Amino acid sequence: MYYVKLPYMDDRVSVFDVCQAHAQLESDFNQDGIVIERPSNRRRWASTGCQLSRMRYEPGGRWVQICSDDQDDPGDNDVRDIYLINVIRWGLPMDKALHVTVQKRFTKEFLDMLGYRSMN
């Protein structure tokens, strides 16, 4: 298995978890097939799905419940964290459940560093 070091993450994470988080971001936030908020997608005008396809990534039946309690499947925590960090960094819209999950998973100092704005 291959691992990478990502900004904002303490430990190295599986490239499969990175791909899964991005596949779910595209599914949840795409506009006309592209997550335009992602700067590299705008620059290349290529969807995340297109990039994942070039990498031959196929999630199979895997789908991570982002707002689930991490006790349900702690093996999916990296996918959750990558997903949530990118939602904050790219300024994607969040519903109440995402806000609650973000506030449970991360410290106030970390959220301040990312520029997170709560619903309040």
Side-chain angles (χ1 to χ4, degrees):
M1 176 140 352
Y2 295 100
Y3 293 88
V4 295
K5 179 69 177 117
L6 297 176
Y8 308 112
M9 303 284 286
D10 291 334
D11 297 322
R12 296 178 332 150
V13 297
S14 158
V15 294
F16 295 105
D17 287 347
V18 175
C19 289
Q20 183 64 36
H22 284 271
Q24 289 189 220
L25 280 161
E26 181 174 66
S27 173
D28 293 347
F29 294 101
N30 84 74
Q31 295 176 359
D32 299 323
I34 287 183
V35 181
I36 16 188
E37 289 80 359
R38 184 168 180 235
S40 63
N41 285 359
R42 242 182 284 141
R43 191 173 56 248
R44 287 190 217 108
W45 201 248
S47 71
T48 299
C50 177
Q51 294 168 54
L52 292 173
S53 176
R54 267 187 289 166
M55 295 167 52
R56 295 189 175 108
Y57 176 73
E58 295 181 21
R62 184 178 187 200
W63 203 257
V64 175
Q65 297 301 318
I66 300 301
C67 294
S68 175
D69 183 2
D70 62 1
Q71 301 297 329
D72 295 341
D73 193 349
D76 288 333
N77 285 339
D78 285 342
V79 174
R80 286 184 188 98
D81 290 344
I82 293 164
Y83 181 104
L84 293 169
I85 288 169
N86 283 322
V87 166
I88 295 166
R89 289 179 57 220
W90 299 340
L92 297 170
M94 285 193 257
D95 61 13
K96 184 174 176 82
L98 269 181
H99 277 286
V100 168
T101 302
V102 161
Q103 291 171 354
K104 279 184 186 176
R105 293 199 64 76
F106 304 119
T107 65
K108 181 185 178 329
E109 293 77 22
F110 182 72
L111 292 173
D112 288 344
M113 181 184 71
L114 289 175
Y116 170 74
R117 290 184 209 102
S118 70
M119 288 184 82
N120 301 338

